[in-house]
């Protein structure tokens, strides 16, 4: 694919918005590796899906702070534990977003002849593959009290293969916020909004990220929205959801 503009895109890492420090996004990909199952009875190749994989490559500017979400502060730590990454292809409600639970690989600096300093970073999937979903928040959303957000239309009819969802909490003033998903077949016109079974994140008490998934055979209606409850005066967060159109097993 040819190089494309990233104007209006965003990158979140484990509850930190690094968008302003990212120069470019490289390889965003994943999926099953094809395995050759061609037998002697076949006259053409026969393949089946193998190991799931995923990756996200970015180049960041050198920003040592002082903000907590400065790229060098977050990426330079080279954590050994998993990170949660979300790349937003635009920050409008319903925009495509790539999500990954991963290990951060490398933080290699490059010094340009002009004095510029950038760092190459790659996130490689751990346990789950790269998951493309849609934003249920318009980039970062700020709630000052329990709120039901606007809905996103995921297409005609319901599906019966469950969903996965990612949450980034960037800032919280108060005790805790609980973020959960609700669904309806007609955006609440005649079909009352109902909580998605298994679609509630654990109560968040500060900056961080979570991934949840419902039962693999859960019915998910056409429209989805995000609601918040809790004891807080300000919660800044983002949510991405993957509604499965086919059976997905991890």
């Amino acid at each position: 694919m040819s190089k494309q503009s990233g104007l209006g895109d965003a990158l979140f890492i484990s509850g930190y918005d690094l968008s302003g420090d990212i120069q470019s996004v490289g390889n965003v990909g994943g999926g099953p590796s094809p395995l050759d199952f061609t037998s002697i009875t076949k006259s053409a190749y026969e393949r089946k899906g193998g190991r799931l994989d995923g990756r996200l490559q970015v180049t960041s500017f050198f920003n040592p702070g002082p903000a907590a979400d400065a790229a060098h502060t977050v990426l330079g730590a080279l954590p050994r534990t998993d990170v949660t990454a979300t790349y937003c292809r635009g920050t409008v409600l319903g925009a495509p977003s790539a999500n990954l639970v991963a290990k951060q690989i490398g933080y290699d600096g490059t010094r340009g002849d002009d004095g510029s300093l950038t760092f190459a970073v790659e996130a490689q999937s751990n346990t789950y593959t790269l998951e493309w979903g849609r934003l249920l928040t318009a980039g970062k959303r700020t709630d000052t009290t329990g709120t039901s957000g606007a809905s996103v239309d995921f297409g005609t009819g319901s599906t019966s293969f469950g969903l996965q969802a990612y949450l980034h909490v960037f800032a919280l003033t108060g005790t805790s916020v609980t973020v959960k998903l609700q669904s309806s077949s007609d955006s609440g016109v005649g079909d009352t909004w109902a909580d998605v079974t298994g679609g509630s994140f654990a109560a968040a008490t500060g900056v961080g990220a979570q991934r949840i998934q419902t039962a693999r055979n859960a019915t998910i209606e056409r429209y989805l929205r995000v609601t918040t409850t809790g004891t807080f005066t300000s919660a800044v967060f983002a949510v991405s959801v993957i509604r499965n159109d086919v059976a997905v097993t991890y």
Side-chain angles (χ1 to χ4, degrees):
M1 181 179 293
S2 61
K3 186 175 182 179
Q4 299 181 23
S5 171
L7 292 176
D9 290 357
L11 179 69
F12 308 143
I13 301 289
S14 298
Y16 294 99
D17 182 1
L18 303 189
S19 310
D21 291 334
I22 302 302
Q23 181 189 63
S24 63
V25 176
N27 189 315
V28 182
S33 302
L35 299 178
D36 188 350
F37 276 77
T38 309
S39 70
I40 60 174
T41 65
K42 300 295 190 297
S43 58
Y45 286 110
E46 181 180 9
R47 294 185 175 91
K48 295 182 181 181
R51 183 174 63 89
L52 294 172
D53 198 1
R55 74 206 68 85
L56 172 62
Q57 299 170 342
V58 301
T59 300
S60 73
F61 297 111
F62 175 60
N63 180 2
D69 59 355
H72 183 69
T73 302
V74 177
L75 300 175
L78 281 171
R80 295 186 178 184
T81 55
D82 287 347
V83 299
T84 301
T86 296
Y87 168 56
C88 307
R89 196 71 174 98
T91 52
V92 298
L93 192 66
S97 54
N99 304 275
L100 194 64
V101 175
K103 298 295 186 183
Q104 179 186 327
I105 307 298
Y107 188 61
D108 302 326
T110 298
R111 183 73 168 179
D113 293 337
D114 58 359
S116 61
L117 181 58
T118 59
F119 290 83
V121 180
E122 179 172 355
Q124 295 182 1
S125 64
N126 187 31
T127 305
Y128 313 106
T129 185
L130 183 85
E131 299 183 296
W132 277 99
R134 300 178 65 185
L135 290 177
L136 282 193
T137 56
K140 294 191 292 186
R141 178 174 127 186
T142 301
D143 286 0
T144 56
T145 187
T147 304
S148 295
S151 65
V152 172
D153 184 355
F154 277 74
T156 304
S158 62
T159 57
S160 300
F161 305 105
L163 60 72
Q164 298 81 250
Y166 289 77
L167 166 69
H168 293 265
V169 177
F170 305 99
L172 177 69
T173 302
T175 303
S176 68
V177 59
T178 298
V179 179
K180 62 182 179 180
L181 309 178
Q182 293 186 327
S183 69
S184 168
S185 62
D186 59 5
S187 197
V189 176
D191 180 25
T192 304
W193 287 101
D195 293 350
V196 174
T197 302
S200 179
F201 294 94
T205 57
V207 173
Q210 301 179 43
R211 178 193 183 275
I212 59 173
Q213 65 180 47
T214 66
R216 300 294 79 190
N217 61 350
T219 297
I220 309 298
E221 300 287 359
R222 173 175 176 173
Y223 292 88
L224 290 168
R225 73 177 184 180
V226 170
T227 68
T228 55
T229 58
T231 306
F232 62 92
T233 56
S234 179
V236 185
F237 63 97
V239 174
S240 175
V241 170
I242 302 92
R243 189 181 80 152
N244 301 318
D245 295 323
V246 297
V248 175
T249 302
Y250 291 109

